[in-house]
């Protein structure tokens, strides 16, 4: 008998029919003899609809009230799910984030979990009940207000519950089958991974993969939670996300499987490139530029500086498309102080990243990437690397084709096309 935490995303509980299907799945787990704690998201697009409503009544909704509003989405699904389980003859009890002891800081809309005190959940489990917790929300002790954890926060709720209750596994259910070597909508030959290390998962998520939220993976890594990402719509096993020193539960005792060098290829269409052209090539200019950009609130990703032949140089960097306007405005306002010649904004770029822990110990990994791109006649505009990742910026129009070529070059292609359930992964 194990303690299993399950998280169901919005697409898994989009209507009454799906809620009943999820209830059955939960009951099956209980029947198999396990204790079950469930974190549930709001039904379907409820959160987006509530956000739209808020924006209709107020241009800038008050953050405290917005959290009151958004947290209600998960209260609907948790109660309905508990009812559905009840009607199947099983004891289920739903709890809001605050009832569940999800203690956060006071940052409305982006609260961080600071403590989990699941006293009531333990009691309910001890009494044999299935526990349902509203995802995405918590409670701040100082303000005594309800908070939300930011979009996609139910993943983090589930992982935090698993850590606090010392669960055996945290199963994250969505409408995709697990973690793939690439986004199957971009690369049809992408394959489902049996397992992936949490550090590789973090790099993939940070570079465009959308199946799991970064904060949930980080939390799991820090607290030693085993994540199993799988589909609500099939009974097949998904992908295990393994933290440091964790063993793949599917691996036979003692079996030492050779890890692939590259775990996956991520594609990201969400970045824009800004070039600050004709920057005086003297000490301190990069500091000035990136201080201005930071003050605008833009989150810089890749940076490239050219050599200067003329005493001036160009500095290019990427930021999320949504941050570009603010960064450009801030830079333009300080043009004469910094002394650069002009600004170029390019939002037609795409970023391709290859991630694999094997890069640490294998040489020639980047050469495979560059050769594949060269054979495809694809031009590279920027390059950056981390210990386990190589990223390149390309023309956005080239990204899908480049990703397919590179996926093939690393031997990641499956034998047939991946099944896509038209899902979003949420
Ligand atoms: N309902 C919230 C959202 O849509 C939280 C979640 O789904 O995890 O962002
Ligand atoms: Mg949602």
């Amino acid at each position: 008998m194990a303690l299993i935490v399950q998280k169901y995303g919005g697409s898994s509980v989009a209507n009454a029919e799906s809620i009943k299907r999820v209830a059955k799945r939960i009951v099956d787990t209980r029947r198999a003899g396990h204790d079950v704690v469930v974190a549930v998201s709001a039904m379907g697009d409820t959160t987006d609809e509530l956000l739209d409503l808020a924006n209709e009544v107020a241009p800038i909704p008050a953050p405290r009230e917005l959290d009151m509003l958004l947290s209600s989405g998960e209260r609907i699904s948790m109660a309905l799910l508990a009812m559905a389980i009840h009607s199947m003859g099983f004891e289920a009890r739903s709890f809001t984030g605050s009832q569940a002891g999800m203690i956060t800081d006071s940052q409305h809309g982006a609260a961080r979990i600071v403590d989990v005190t699941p006293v009531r959940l333990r009691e309910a489990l001890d009494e044999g009940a299935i526990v349902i917790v509203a995802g995405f929300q918590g409670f701040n002790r100082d303000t005594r207000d309800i908070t939300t954890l930011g979009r996609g926060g139910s993943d983090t709720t589930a992982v935090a519950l698993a850590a606090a209750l010392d669960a055996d596994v945290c199963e994250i259910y969505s409408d995709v089958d697990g973690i793939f070597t690439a986004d199957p909508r971009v690369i049809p030959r992408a394959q489902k991974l049996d397992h992936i290390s949490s550090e590789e998962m973090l790099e993939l998520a940070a570079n465009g993969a959308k199946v799991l939220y970064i904060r949930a993976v980080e939390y799991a890594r820090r607290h030693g939670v085993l994540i199993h990402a799988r589909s609500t719509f099939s009974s097949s096993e998904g992908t295990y996300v393994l933290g440091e020193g964790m063993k793949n539960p599917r691996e036979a005792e003692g079996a030492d499987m050779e890890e692939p060098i590259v775990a996956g290829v991520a594609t990201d269409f969400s970045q824009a490139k800004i070039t600050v052209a004709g920057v005086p090539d003297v000490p301190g200019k990069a500091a000035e530029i990136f201080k201005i950009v930071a003050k605008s609130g833009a989150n810089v990703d890749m940076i490239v500086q050219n050599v200067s032949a003329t005493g001036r140089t160009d500095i290019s960097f990427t930021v999320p498309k949504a941050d570009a306007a603010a960064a450009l405005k801030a830079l333009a306002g300080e043009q004469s102080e910094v002394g650069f010649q002009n600004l170029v904004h390019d939002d037609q770029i795409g970023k391709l990243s290859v991630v694999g822990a094997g890069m640490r110990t294998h040489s020639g990994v980047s050469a495979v990437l560059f050769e594949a791109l060269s054979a495809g006649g694809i031009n590279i505009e920027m390059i950056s690397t981390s210990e386990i990742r190589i990223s390149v910026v390309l023309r956005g129009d080239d990204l899908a084709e480049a990703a397919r070529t590179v996926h093939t070059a690393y031997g990641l292609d499956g034998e047939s096309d991946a099944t896509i359930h038209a899902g979003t992964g949420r």
Side-chain angles (χ1 to χ4, degrees), residues 318-329:
T318 64
V319 291
K321 278 185 179 142
D323 291 353
L328 285 162
K329 187 164 171 246

Side-chain angles (χ1 to χ4, degrees), residues 7 10 41-42 47 74 136 150-155 426:
K7 180 259 174 176
S41 291
T47 308
E74 271 72 9
F136 168 66
R151 296 311 303 270
S154 303
D155 284 8
R426 307 309 314 151

Side-chain angles (χ1 to χ4, degrees), residues 185-187 267 269 352 378 394-406:
R185 277 158 300 189
V186 178
I187 305 179
T267 46
F269 290 94
L352 170 69
I378 293 156
L394 319 159
R395 280 299 88 205
D397 288 341
D398 288 341
L399 183 55
E401 179 57 34
R404 283 190 286 273
T405 308
V406 168

